[in-house]
Structures are given as structure tokens and as C-alpha cells.
Amino acid sequence: MKRETAVALVEDRARATAPAAPPGKLPGLAMAAAGVALAWAAHRLVPAVPLLTAAVVLGIAAAHLPGVRERVRGAGRAGLTLAGKRLMRLGVVLLGLRLSLGDVLGIGWATVAMVLVTVVATFCGTLWLGRRLGLRGDQPLLIATGYAICGASAIGAVGEVSGSDEEDTATSVALVTLCGTLAIAVLPLLHHPLGLDDSQFGRWVGAGVHDVGQVVAAAQTAGPTALGEAVLVKLMRVALLAPLVGAVAMAARRRRSPARGTERPPVVPLFVAGFLAAVAVRSTGVLPGAVLDGAQRVQELLLAAALFGLGSAVHLPSLVRTGSRVAALGLGAWVVIAGVSYAGVLATA
């Protein structure tokens, strides 16, 4: 009896001194949901601030506010990481429902060529400059992707298939979001000084601004014609997300040798296949407008939750240490995409 009592006491002490079980993903997902709600409220109060931009900013703020940052880095980390990855994939899939083959063909081959040249020049130029500046890890690749394709959504997609460090992804999202937000204020001021009519201005915004929400915010200042042109050109850039992610996946596949015991990524990631399938479904015209509108709202909420999660991984002290180089890359990439897209708009007028 005494022996059994002694064993029980030892087990009780072991349970008392054992480390607590790691927190689940629910606390972080709840934080992401709260962040989306606050971002939506900010967007409703100030419509000029896109929902996704507000979500990133709130995520960064949560990672640094006393009393909140401890929860973000502790109990909430697993769920926030899940939001930044899994929900990002779902959002990218639904993004395909905003694009149809008819939309691409409707903008004309000259404009398609202009978009292709702008994307290739921006991607290659930003990647080259980032490596020359000596930025860490995958930051040059991720920033180049964000500028060339569709901002934070593209960064999240490429970061997934390249196995990028979470901090590199978060820093890249922060930079691209900041520059895209500044474009909302700067580009409308250049509308008339650059001699652009409303249609040309819309195509310039669609080719030169990163995130879809930022494109809408900047182009709507010039009226419905500019907004329609901007969205069509922007969605053409979104269509290039799939081949770019596929190319990065193939490069990552070659880098990872099975001999090292690491699983190679698929040539076509599942969420990219889902994106292409969504484009195909949208192109058939079988989905009613109400379904497409609902899918767009869900897509925005998923991406907002994902960007809040990515924003919460930003560590400003680390960003400050490479701030001058990151800022130089952001400015350089901005000059490239604005200049090339402007020349392309004039050439295809």
C-alpha cells in the first residue's frame, strides 16, 4: 500500500512539473478573426483604406503592442501561422473566380503584350537589384513576385512553394503593402500631369499597382471607365500567378534532393491547380452573379485573415536593421514597374 502511495506521489509530481501541452491553433485563428473584423471596420470608416491593407497593418501592430505581442508570439503563433499559409491558399483559389478567359481576350493582344513585358521586366529587374543589395534569404524573390504579379497574395503563394522563411515572407508583404498603399495617394496626382486620359490612367494603375484592392482604390478616383480598365489589366496580371508559381515550384523541386530525406514539392501545387480550375469554371459562365459576389467576399475575408497572420510575424527591429536596403529595393522596383507600364500604355494607346 505504501509503495502504491509512493508511486502515485511520484506520478503526481511528474505531471505537475511536466511542461504544459503546446497551445492549439484556435487562439491564433480567433486573433486572426478579430483582426479581420477590425480591418473591416476600418475599411468601412475610411473606404479609401483597402481591407487587405488594413489587415496587414493591424497584424504588424498586434505583433508589437505591449500586452498583445506576448499572446501573438506565444499561444496565438500556431493559429496565426496556419492562417498565413492555409487560408492564403484558399484565398488564392477563390481569386481565380474573378478572372475568365473572355476578360483576357477582351482587353486586346496589344494590352496583353504590354502586361507581359511589364511583369517580366519588373520581376527580373527587382530580383536582380535585390540580390545586388544583398538582401537575406528569399526576400529578393518574394518582393519581385509581389511587385510583378499581385502583391501579398502572390508573395504568400510563392513563399509556400519555395519553402521561404516566415520572417522573409512577412517582411516582403510589409514592404509591398506599404508601397502599394502609397501608390493610392501618389498615382492619382500624376493622372493629368502625365497627359493620360481616363482609360489610359486605368490601364496604368492596373499594370503598376500591386494588390487588387489598391488598384480599385487608386483607379476609382478617375471614374468608372478608368476603374473598369484597371481591373481588367490587373486581373491579367493575376492570371500570370499560376505559371510563375509553377516555375518556382519546379526550381524548388530541383534544389531538394530526395537523398536528404526531404519531400519534393509537386510540380503544380494543389492550390495553383485550384486557381486554374476556378478560372475555367468562371469562363463557362455557369455561376450566377450572386455566387460570384459571395465568393469574392469570402476570398477577401480569407486573404485578410492570412495577411493579418503574416503581418503578425513582422519583427520591426529586424526590418530596421535592413531598412535602407529594403527601402532602396522598394523604391527601385516602384520606378521600374511605373516606368515600364507607363511606356507600355503610351505605346498601346
Side-chain angles (χ1 to χ4, degrees):
M1 187 68 179
K2 291 182 178 180
R3 183 179 178 183
E4 293 176 356
T5 304
V7 171
L9 288 173
V10 171
E11 291 177 348
D12 289 341
R13 288 177 181 175
R15 282 193 293 266
T17 57
K25 299 179 175 63
L26 189 57
L29 292 175
M31 290 181 189
V36 172
L38 290 174
W40 179 82
H43 173 64
R44 294 285 293 179
L45 289 173
V46 186
V49 177
L51 172 65
L52 302 187
T53 300
V56 174
V57 172
L58 288 171
I60 296 173
H64 296 85
L65 285 175
V68 179
R69 63 188 176 197
E70 291 79 13
R71 296 182 182 181
V72 167
R73 297 171 186 171
R77 190 68 263 152
L80 290 169
T81 299
L82 176 68
K85 292 183 177 181
R86 303 292 183 180
L87 298 187
M88 176 67 75
R89 294 178 186 178
L90 293 175
V92 169
V93 170
L94 291 180
L95 189 61
L97 291 178
R98 303 182 68 172
L99 179 69
S100 71
L101 295 178
D103 292 334
V104 176
L105 297 176
I107 65 176
W109 290 110
T111 302
V112 171
M114 180 270 288
V115 172
L116 288 172
V117 170
T118 300
V119 167
V120 171
T122 302
F123 181 81
C124 295
T126 304
L127 185 61
W128 175 84
L129 180 58
R131 288 174 175 170
R132 292 284 293 178
L133 291 170
L135 293 184
R136 55 162 282 179
D138 286 338
Q139 285 182 4
L141 170 65
L142 297 174
I143 294 171
T145 301
Y147 269 87
I149 305 295
C150 55
S153 304
I155 291 173
V158 169
E160 279 286 299
V161 299
S162 63
S164 300
D165 179 76
E166 186 178 18
E167 186 176 344
D168 286 348
T169 303
T171 299
S172 303
V173 166
L175 174 68
V176 172
T177 300
L178 173 63
C179 292
T181 303
L182 291 175
I184 297 173
V186 174
L187 265 60
L189 298 178
L190 300 176
H191 178 184
H192 297 295
L194 291 179
L196 299 173
D197 60 28
D198 290 348
S199 177
Q200 291 172 327
F201 176 73
R203 282 187 285 141
W204 184 45
V205 170
V209 181
H210 321 315
D211 181 79
V212 176
Q214 294 164 345
V215 167
V216 171
Q220 57 86 28
T221 61
T225 300
L227 181 58
E229 293 283 338
V231 171
L232 284 177
V233 171
K234 177 60 191 174
L235 292 179
M236 176 61 201
R237 286 170 63 196
V238 172
L240 298 177
L241 176 63
L244 177 61
V245 172
V248 173
M250 292 183 67
R253 186 179 175 86
R254 287 195 296 268
R255 286 200 312 266
R256 298 181 189 177
S257 172
R260 293 185 295 178
T262 56
E263 182 181 354
R264 285 184 173 184
V267 175
V268 180
L270 183 60
F271 72 93
V272 175
F275 172 86
L276 294 174
V279 173
V281 171
R282 170 65 188 269
S283 300
T284 64
V286 299
L287 296 179
V291 172
L292 294 175
D293 290 343
Q296 180 176 337
R297 294 189 185 94
V298 173
Q299 172 243 319
E300 289 178 345
L301 294 176
L302 288 172
L303 289 181
L307 293 178
F308 182 88
L310 288 175
S312 71
V314 173
H315 188 236
L316 290 180
S318 299
L319 184 60
V320 169
R321 284 195 290 271
T322 58
S324 59
R325 288 177 291 160
V326 170
L329 178 58
L331 179 60
W334 203 1
V335 170
V336 169
I337 193 169
V340 173
S341 59
Y342 177 68
V345 166
L346 294 182
T348 57

